[in-house]
Amino acid sequence: MAALNVLMIGTGEYTTGFVGTGGSASDKKVGVVGLTLFDLRRRGKVDQLGMVGVNGTKFPAIREHLHKNITQFYNGLDTSFQSFPGDDQKDPDAYRAAIDQLKPGDAITIFTPDPSHFPIALYAIERGIHVLVTKPAVKLLAHHQELIARARERKVFVFVEHHKRFDPVYSDARFRAQKLGDFNYYYSYMAQPKFQLDTFKAWAGKESDISYYLNSHHVDICDSMVQQLGYVPVKVDATASKGVATSQGCVEETEDTISLLVTWVKQSDPTKRGIAVYTASWTAPNKSGVHTSQNFHYLASGGEIRVDQSRRGYDVADDSVGQVQWVNPFYMRYAPDEDGNFQGSTGYGYISIEKFVDNCRALNAGTTTLDDLDAKGLPTLKNTIATTAILEAGRRSIDEAREIKIVIEDGVWKLE
């Protein structure tokens, strides 16, 4: 199969690890998307690479950052890419000119602020370009359904980067849940430390919230577990706390922690209902020892599953850091192999992107179809519509101080 040409849209922490002062303070110091695609190019699965930002003046520093921390660290790994806009330009619509240089069957990745996902994805889809978009796919249910329709028309693959589906523990839990009977209760918690708000201050509370950013992980995991059992969400009631993020310099509208209470109903037997509580926060302690605290509890008629991925039995004490840290090499393994090459292909952050690349290549080669990809249970647009419905309903519930209903009529999802 032919190698895939990929344009990376967004130059920030998740793509490059560069946040303006060099390496990120998070656990993604050299990024995820760029490093993975550079390695996939080394392995022959990817060919031409490009990168798009708004501020082209950042590219010299980004290239220096990638050369120092990737090329020189991983046995000369090639980190070259074509960039848009020019190094002396700023252009919020640079992605258009960059996408226009692609050909049908090429692909883009979108790791940009949440409100920009829809227009960028739609622009690419209309030109026959495959799309990997970070979660949340979009903020509005109507936009999600429009993308489904347009992608079908153009026969392109749109993959939502729900990497937690490929965490081996979460994946195993999803498999085991199918044998535990009817869904009854789910609780999840996901949080990141307050210093993360320094990175997100430009958009936190203005363009999106912590539920879209973090609850999206576990809402999707829960949906992927109970959707196979025939359950759909029917109502959402949300609440939020405030006061800490604003003290960190965020705008007054910024919530600290958001909880969504969701009721699920089994379509074949509406007397069977399940409830779920999804909680997300970006005001966890700075010195908690983990970058992302994450756990869930799943209860069914025939058993239960408990997963705590905050501390995985692996801790590191480093005097230069000043605290014990619980690290997560299962997500991205940054240690080089014995030859000095990057060896992170077993990490679920890498696997998520590689699955997108592999399936785009297969679709281009005619060895798979969009229906096949939906049937595999991958996080396609069709398979993630409930997540968007729940996240938008949660936002509306907080803003309107009421419960929001989710209704499905003739295959069309609506919020009431």
Side-chain angles (χ1 to χ4, degrees):
M1 290 187 290
L4 187 69
N5 299 324
V6 184
L7 175 70
M8 297 171 271
I9 301 181
T11 64
E13 179 183 58
Y14 207 84
T15 298
T16 67
F18 184 82
V19 294
T21 56
S24 166
S26 80
D27 57 350
K28 296 177 280 290
K29 291 179 171 53
V30 290
V32 174
V33 181
L35 176 56
T36 298
L37 290 173
F38 296 143
D39 191 63
L40 288 172
R41 179 168 60 186
R42 178 183 68 86
R43 295 172 55 199
K45 293 190 174 187
V46 166
D47 187 10
Q48 299 176 35
L49 288 174
M51 194 177 298
V52 182
V54 171
N55 185 355
T57 64
K58 291 182 178 180
F59 281 121
I62 289 172
R63 285 190 168 90
E64 180 181 358
H65 164 72
L66 296 176
H67 180 75
K68 176 183 177 181
N69 296 295
I70 294 181
T71 301
Q72 293 185 344
F73 190 75
Y74 293 117
N75 197 25
L77 182 61
D78 180 11
T79 56
S80 63
F81 59 90
Q82 184 179 9
S83 58
F84 306 85
D87 290 358
D88 60 347
Q89 299 176 340
K90 296 181 180 180
D91 182 4
D93 294 321
Y95 72 88
R96 295 174 179 267
I99 291 174
D100 287 344
Q101 294 195 20
L102 300 176
K103 64 182 185 300
D106 290 345
I108 66 168
T109 64
I110 303 174
F111 287 81
T112 58
D114 296 350
S116 66
H117 294 180
F118 174 70
I120 295 173
L122 184 60
Y123 192 85
I125 289 168
E126 290 175 337
R127 285 151 184 80
I129 307 300
H130 304 301
V131 176
L132 180 149
V133 58
T134 189
K135 68 276 167 226
V138 289
K139 295 182 66 179
L140 302 179
L141 180 58
H143 286 170
H144 193 118
Q145 292 180 107
E146 183 173 351
L147 290 184
I148 290 176
R150 302 301 281 274
R152 277 281 166 173
E153 290 173 6
R154 296 293 297 167
K155 296 181 172 58
V156 298
F157 182 39
V158 182
F159 181 100
V160 187
E161 205 273 317
H162 283 293
H163 53 255
K164 291 302 294 182
R165 288 197 183 206
F166 307 105
D167 181 322
V169 174
Y170 280 55
S171 177
D172 189 73
R174 186 168 64 248
F175 169 74
R176 293 177 186 274
Q178 304 314 302
K179 301 179 181 180
L180 295 181
D182 290 319
F183 169 49
N184 190 266
Y185 170 77
Y186 183 96
Y187 167 76
S188 64
Y189 174 74
M190 198 167 194
Q192 291 186 345
K194 290 186 287 290
F195 68 71
Q196 192 78 341
L197 285 168
D198 294 334
T199 301
F200 299 152
K201 197 174 297 182
W203 58 264
K206 304 173 188 176
E207 298 177 341
S208 195
D209 59 40
I210 187 57
S211 186
Y212 277 112
Y213 173 59
L214 285 186
N215 267 334
S216 53
H217 294 76
H218 283 109
V219 171
D220 175 71
I221 289 298
C222 179
D223 177 40
S224 71
M225 296 169 80
V226 306
Q227 183 183 122
Q228 299 177 70
L229 300 173
Y231 286 84
V232 294
V234 294
K235 60 181 180 180
V236 180
D237 195 0
T239 189
S241 61
K242 296 178 66 175
V244 179
T246 52
S247 69
Q248 299 290 116
C250 294
V251 296
E252 186 63 31
E253 295 82 5
T254 311
E255 294 99 353
D256 301 332
T257 303
I258 292 177
S259 287
L260 311 177
L261 173 60
V262 181
T263 300
W264 296 76
V265 170
K266 191 168 188 176
Q267 290 180 296
S268 62
D269 184 357
T271 65
K272 294 183 177 180
R273 304 162 73 89
I275 56 172
V277 181
Y278 313 99
T279 298
S281 176
W282 45 20
T283 57
N286 285 333
K287 299 293 184 179
S288 63
V290 294
H291 183 70
T292 305
S293 181
Q294 49 192 307
N295 60 77
F296 75 80
H297 174 206
Y298 176 86
L299 176 65
S301 60
E304 64 182 350
I305 299 171
R306 296 178 186 270
V307 174
D308 187 344
Q309 295 293 67
S310 299
R311 293 165 177 80
R312 305 184 182 215
Y314 178 31
D315 60 85
V316 178
D318 185 339
D319 285 342
S320 66
V321 176
Q323 67 178 101
V324 173
Q325 294 177 293
W326 285 267
V327 294
N328 181 12
F330 307 100
Y331 169 56
M332 283 292 285
R333 186 156 60 113
Y334 290 108
D337 67 14
E338 62 275 7
D339 294 318
N341 294 315
F342 177 62
Q343 63 169 348
S345 60
T346 59
Y348 59 84
Y350 187 112
I351 289 170
S352 178
I353 297 170
E354 184 176 18
K355 283 187 179 291
F356 169 71
V357 169
D358 286 346
N359 284 302
C360 286
R361 296 173 68 206
L363 198 60
N364 289 344
T367 59
T368 192
T369 67
L370 294 177
D371 287 336
D372 291 337
L373 298 178
D374 284 334
K376 286 182 178 180
L378 293 168
T380 62
L381 284 173
K382 179 181 178 181
N383 291 340
T384 57
I385 189 170
T387 295
T388 298
I390 289 169
L391 293 172
E392 184 190 350
R395 183 67 261 166
R396 285 182 54 181
S397 176
I398 292 172
D399 292 342
E400 300 172 21
R402 67 181 182 90
E403 180 182 272
I404 304 295
K405 293 182 179 179
I406 300 174
V407 178
I408 307 172
E409 296 177 349
D410 298 323
V412 178
W413 292 58
K414 301 176 183 178
L415 302 182
E416 296 181 346

